[in-house]
Amino acid sequence: MSIPPFHLAFPVHDLAAARQFYGGLMGCPEGRSSDEWIDFDFHGHQIVAHLAPETGDRASNPVDGHDVPVPHFGLVLGMDDWRAMADRLTAAGVEFVIEPTIRFAGEPGEQATMFFRDPSGNALEIKAMANPANLFAK
């Protein structure tokens, strides 16, 4: 299945911190940039950090016993890549909103998931499906 890349623009309060977090820690190659924004290659998708000093939203919804931050964005990786990212983020001392865990165990939607925030407070979820074919299963 070929999926077209998505584009997401989001606010950050510090471009240098965004560059370090997305480019350095997350390993996203940098694209175009200006004094007001930075493009990153987020596993083939275009995300753009826009300088907006007034950031942050702490709303959440209960999901499988956790308070999931809303809004959030992220990736669905293969399980090995998910584990590698969880290990890299843990080793870097990233504070997790929801620690790397397995959600919906034994159900069609069983998945490994983790939630954390970038330096501007934007929430990210990185997940991996136990059975990738069940990404949209009910």
Side-chain angles (χ1 to χ4, degrees):
M1 172 171 65
S2 177
I3 298 174
F6 69 79
H7 166 84
L8 174 71
F10 58 97
V12 300
H13 68 272
D14 182 324
L15 287 177
R19 183 173 273 124
Q20 170 58 32
F21 184 82
Y22 289 99
L25 181 59
M26 297 289 293
C28 299
E30 187 173 322
R32 296 176 302 278
S33 67
S34 78
D35 292 340
E36 302 294 321
W37 52 269
I38 305 169
D39 281 352
F40 293 101
D41 179 343
F42 192 61
H43 292 258
H45 303 284
Q46 183 191 45
I47 60 172
V48 186
H50 283 269
L51 186 59
E54 302 294 323
T55 62
D57 183 1
R58 300 293 180 173
S60 65
N61 282 327
V63 178
D64 197 36
H66 295 282
D67 289 327
V68 171
V70 178
H72 67 266
F73 68 97
L75 291 169
V76 181
L77 299 176
M79 195 60 76
D80 289 342
D81 290 336
W82 182 89
R83 285 187 189 102
M85 184 171 290
D87 290 346
R88 185 169 68 243
L89 296 173
T90 300
V94 167
E95 182 179 336
F96 290 95
V97 175
I98 299 174
E99 297 278 335
T101 189
I102 302 297
R103 179 191 296 167
F104 308 125
E107 298 178 32
E110 181 176 334
Q111 58 193 260
T113 187
M114 62 182 132
F115 286 82
F116 51 93
R117 293 186 183 276
D118 73 8
S120 292
N122 296 297
L124 289 92
E125 176 185 17
I126 307 299
K127 67 169 73 177
M129 301 301 296
N131 178 350
N134 285 347
L135 182 60
F136 298 105
K138 293 183 179 183

